[in-house]
Amino acid sequence: MTSSAIAVSCLRKAYGDKVVLDGIDFDVAAGSVFSMLGPNGAGKTTTVNILTTLMAADAGTVLVAGHDVTAATATATRAVRAAIGVTGQFAAVDDLLSGRENLQMMADLKRVRSPRLVAQLLERFDLTESADKLAATYSGGMRRKLDLAMTLVGDPRIIFLDEPTTGLDPRSRRTMWGIVRELVADGTTIFLTTQYLDEADQLADRIAVLDQGRLVAHGTPDELKRRMPGTHVRLRFTDPADLDTAARILAGSTRDDQELTLRVPSDGESRSLRALLDVLDEHLLNAREFAVHTPDLDDVFLALTGRPSAEAIAK
Ligand SMILES: Nc1ncnc2c1ncn2[C@@H]1O[C@H](COP(=O)(O)OP(=O)(O)OP(=O)(O)O)[C@@H](O)[C@H]1O
């Protein structure tokens, strides 16, 4: 499918003097996953709030499922809300109800009359065993799963996932990823904000990086990675004299005197690595660390925003 589920042009938003979105444009193809990345405070939640009709834009055009959000008419707002599902920071989960009751409440609110729906969702999200326990007793991962299950009631064609796996254990994260992939295979469009670059790498068809009010890059994960300098080997020495010698004999290398490291361009293949080790041996150089580094989205993020990603900091 090539039609746009979401089309944004010249979107602007400021809080008082603080410009948060300074004229951003992007398009999300129907049936694809679009991921918006950005450091804390970049304006991701503001974008989601505008696209989901929770907040008014100052200027620009935003079409969601073909309806003009910025027109802010009751009809447009209703039409957009009927087409979308939102999970994340505005969790609809009611702590005083069980998982089953939360889902039933959502089905009633959306007037979905399918007797098996609640049981099917509980099963799909691995929540059947805890279905009759109060949501207040659920772990963070279970709440997020319940939140997403509630969003799926009524089959929204466009789903906004605002940091859906923050704080989840690796197993629950993978369950969520599996569900996102199933939804996309069924033609649902996903707008995903995340601080986990590997999540965007795994799931997104296209990624946009938001920084200081502007989209500083967008493209497929591979396109973004290709913009980075290539694979290299990183050597760390204990003796500054060894770093000097190595920097002299290894063509094209760049040194970091503080870290005592040397970055040597390489294709990362075993033959080149062996040749590099031979050169070090010939010159009686001993590297304390020897690591092959392939560019990943962390490098992209760092290069574009000048800050390491939250994920890279956590590592
Ligand atoms: N209601 C508000 N009034 C004033 N400033 C706000 C308001 N809401 C957000 N901001 C500011 O606007 C900027 C963008 O916030 P936003 O929540 O959209 O960022 P974000 O990219 O979602 O960040 P995070 O990853 O931390 O959730 C931040 O500097 C924030 O402090």
Side-chain angles (χ1 to χ4, degrees):
M1 265 190 274
T2 52
S3 59
S4 296
I6 301 171
V8 171
S9 75
C10 303
L11 177 61
R12 300 178 65 83
K13 177 76 188 176
Y15 297 110
D17 290 347
K18 186 177 166 58
V19 177
V20 176
L21 300 175
D22 193 9
I24 63 168
D25 307 273
F26 60 88
D27 234 65
V28 182
S32 71
V33 180
F34 179 90
S35 178
M36 182 169 269
L37 298 175
N40 284 337
K44 303 177 297 290
T45 302
T46 301
T47 308
V48 171
N49 285 347
I50 294 171
L51 267 49
T52 56
T53 76
L54 294 177
M55 184 185 277
D58 295 341
T61 318
V62 177
L63 294 178
V64 176
H67 306 284
D68 186 356
V69 171
T70 37
T73 59
T75 326
T77 303
R78 227 183 352 257
V80 171
R81 288 187 183 173
I84 65 172
V86 186
T87 69
Q89 300 183 355
F90 351 94
V93 175
D94 185 335
D95 273 346
L96 300 177
L97 298 179
S98 68
R100 190 191 306 280
E101 287 165 342
N102 265 293
L103 283 164
Q104 191 56 57
M105 178 190 68
M106 194 52 86
D108 294 343
L109 273 174
K110 294 198 176 167
R111 299 201 173 86
V112 179
R113 312 229 179 282
S114 161
R116 289 269 312 134
L117 176 73
V118 169
Q120 280 165 350
L121 283 170
L122 287 166
E123 207 168 303
R124 182 170 182 189
F125 284 85
D126 218 1
L127 289 170
T128 308
E129 265 184 38
S130 344
D132 297 310
K133 295 195 179 123
L134 288 189
T137 66
Y138 282 18
S139 67
M142 289 160 76
R143 287 176 73 84
R144 278 180 193 271
K145 286 197 279 186
L146 179 60
D147 187 19
L148 180 53
M150 288 166 71
T151 306
L152 299 194
V153 173
D155 268 338
R157 304 316 293 149
I158 304 174
I159 295 182
F160 291 84
L161 298 176
D162 200 5
E163 305 199 1
T165 63
T166 299
L168 291 194
D169 62 80
R171 183 163 167 263
S172 304
R173 248 175 122 197
R174 288 192 182 270
T175 307
M176 288 292 234
W177 289 0
I179 289 165
V180 168
R181 291 196 182 102
E182 282 168 26
L183 290 169
V184 175
D186 285 346
T188 309
T189 307
I190 307 277
F191 184 101
L192 168 79
T193 71
T194 179
Q195 297 200 17
Y196 298 120
L197 301 191
D198 65 329
E199 181 158 289
D201 203 4
Q202 286 278 331
L203 295 177
D205 296 296
R206 296 189 73 76
I207 293 176
V209 182
L210 185 65
D211 190 37
Q212 299 188 355
R214 292 180 175 273
L215 287 184
V216 289
H218 53 97
T220 65
D222 281 343
E223 280 166 0
L224 292 180
K225 283 184 245 174
R226 272 204 296 273
R227 291 172 53 167
M228 290 298 104
T231 305
H232 62 268
V233 174
R234 212 169 75 118
L235 303 171
R236 188 190 296 276
F237 296 93
T238 21
D239 183 350
D242 284 356
L243 174 63
D244 272 347
T245 315
R248 210 170 46 240
I249 56 176
L250 295 168
S253 58
T254 42
R255 60 194 283 172
D256 179 330
D257 283 282
Q258 259 187 341
E259 295 285 322
L260 291 184
T261 56
L262 193 66
R263 181 188 163 116
V264 187
S266 165
D267 56 14
E269 289 181 14
S270 57
R271 190 168 302 156
S272 344
L273 297 179
R274 196 173 312 120
L276 175 57
L277 287 168
D278 286 346
V279 173
L280 292 175
D281 263 357
E282 266 169 44
H283 292 81
L284 305 173
L285 295 171
N286 182 41
R288 183 154 62 91
E289 270 175 46
F290 183 100
V292 180
H293 188 87
T294 314
D296 58 17
L297 282 180
D298 273 321
D299 299 305
V300 176
F301 195 85
L302 179 63
L304 290 170
T305 67
R307 272 155 287 187
S309 68
E311 190 181 10
I313 291 168
K315 273 181 199 167

